[in-house]
Amino acid sequence: MNPAKNSGRALPRAGCALPRAGCALRWALVTPALGWTLLFFVLPFLAMALSSLTAHDGGGFTLANYSQFFANPAYWQAMVNSLQVTAIVTLISVLLAYPFAWILAEQVPERWQRLALMLAVLPFWTSYVVRSYSWLLVLAQNGVINRALTGSGLFSEPVQLANTRLATVIGFVHFFVMLLTLTIFANLKQLSPSYRKAAADLGAGPVRTFLHVILPLTLPGIMVGAFLTFVLCIGDYITPQILGGNNELLMPQLVMMQIGRRGDFPLASALSIILMAVVTIAYLACARWLKIERA
């Protein structure tokens, strides 16, 4: 006679403890990452969000910091300037990075590609601030470019290049074009040669193969690199401060101005939340576009 039937319940199986042990192991592996995210992102973000809802004079909760952004034309213009500069930098970086990545992936022999990539990322081994000041020296009135222009006779006087939006864009493009190159290069290397062979068998030439096969398949890599460029560019403070010369106010400079000059941390927090909201909207648009393309 089966004792399990007599007791009215089934005996526990020996394998039931294995899923619990596996679940515990997964939580043990994930807990450090969750703790790091909670400690260094979630809690600071919540503190900044609470600070943005307080008054500068220590009063109660208020939305005046957010309304001040929309009511002050200078603050709104700073956001417009940031979006314009970021869009220009992202577009130019994509146009420069794609041919560069194509040459590295398709034209450079396999045995030389690692060396070529190492030489390409070599400028990133130097300090970010050093590179900004280097561009300031190059674009100055007595810099290399102005000396070449005046020495060749094209201009009789030096051209104002430093402390302009052009200088900021040049510095940003130099910094971020390699980031896009790496993402596009990785995407190109993942493409199977069979796609090109299939397109050739169907009568497509090199141009049609690129436009209708290669480019659509590498668009996800382009979008990921463009989004990373957008995020890093719109939140950068050093490059506009050094190369722009405070002639054009961008959002990071506006945030730092509230902290350094006015000590208005609630308003600086509100401006940072607004900037983060713009980045979040860009991320959602990019993710939705990639989802539509994959569908």
Side-chain angles (χ1 to χ4, degrees):
M1 186 176 294
N2 193 344
K5 293 182 179 179
N6 293 336
S7 61
R9 57 183 180 182
L11 293 176
R13 292 178 297 175
C16 291
L18 293 179
R20 296 181 180 178
C23 184
L25 178 61
R26 295 189 189 100
W27 277 108
L29 295 175
V30 173
T31 299
L34 292 178
W36 182 274
T37 304
L38 178 65
L39 183 62
F40 293 103
F41 178 76
V42 177
L43 293 180
F45 176 77
L46 292 177
M48 185 172 64
L50 291 176
S51 176
S52 67
L53 296 174
T54 59
H56 180 45
D57 55 3
F61 288 97
T62 178
L63 295 176
N65 296 318
Y66 292 94
S67 61
Q68 185 175 350
F69 168 78
F70 295 100
N72 195 324
Y75 293 175
W76 180 252
Q77 187 61 41
M79 175 62 75
V80 174
N81 293 337
S82 293
L83 292 175
Q84 290 176 349
V85 171
T86 303
I88 294 172
V89 170
T90 303
L91 178 61
I92 296 177
S93 298
V94 170
L95 295 178
L96 293 178
Y98 201 101
F100 188 26
W102 175 269
I103 293 173
L104 290 176
E106 302 294 334
Q107 303 300 322
V108 177
E110 190 79 24
R111 63 180 181 273
W112 297 109
Q113 287 182 359
R114 292 185 179 181
L115 178 61
L117 286 174
M118 186 188 70
L119 294 176
V121 301
L122 193 62
F124 287 81
W125 294 3
T126 59
S127 172
Y128 194 74
V129 178
V130 171
R131 281 180 286 163
S132 298
Y133 278 109
S134 299
W135 270 113
L136 184 62
L137 295 176
V138 171
L139 299 174
Q141 289 195 356
N142 294 325
V144 177
I145 296 180
N146 270 316
R147 287 184 179 181
L149 293 176
T150 55
S152 61
L154 295 176
F155 294 91
S156 58
E157 296 181 357
V159 182
Q160 181 67 31
L161 297 176
N163 301 326
T164 61
R165 173 182 286 193
L166 176 62
T168 303
V169 170
I170 291 175
F172 273 139
V173 170
H174 173 246
F175 300 152
F176 299 130
V177 69
M178 200 57 225
L179 177 65
L180 267 163
T181 301
L182 293 177
T183 57
I184 298 173
F185 173 81
N187 208 227
L188 287 171
K189 293 297 293 183
Q190 292 177 355
L191 294 181
S192 174
S194 59
Y195 291 114
R196 297 182 181 87
K197 296 179 181 179
D201 291 340
L202 294 174
V207 177
R208 294 188 63 184
T209 300
F210 173 77
L211 293 177
H212 297 285
V213 179
I214 305 301
L215 184 59
L217 291 175
T218 55
L219 277 178
I222 297 175
M223 292 299 296
V224 171
F227 175 72
L228 291 177
T229 302
F230 178 88
V231 172
L232 295 174
C233 183
I234 200 172
D236 189 276
Y237 168 77
I238 298 177
T239 301
Q241 186 69 19
I242 296 176
L243 296 178
N246 288 326
N247 289 331
E248 186 177 50
L249 190 63
L250 303 183
M251 279 297 292
Q253 294 172 294
L254 180 61
V255 172
M256 293 301 297
M257 186 181 300
Q258 307 307 317
I259 298 175
R261 296 184 181 181
R262 300 180 56 187
D264 195 344
F265 287 92
L267 181 57
S269 300
L271 296 175
S272 301
I273 294 293
I274 294 173
L275 186 61
M276 185 176 294
V278 172
V279 174
T280 303
I281 293 173
Y283 167 75
L284 294 177
C286 182
R288 179 176 176 81
W289 184 88
L290 289 175
K291 184 178 181 181
I292 293 175
E293 286 292 318
R294 293 177 179 178

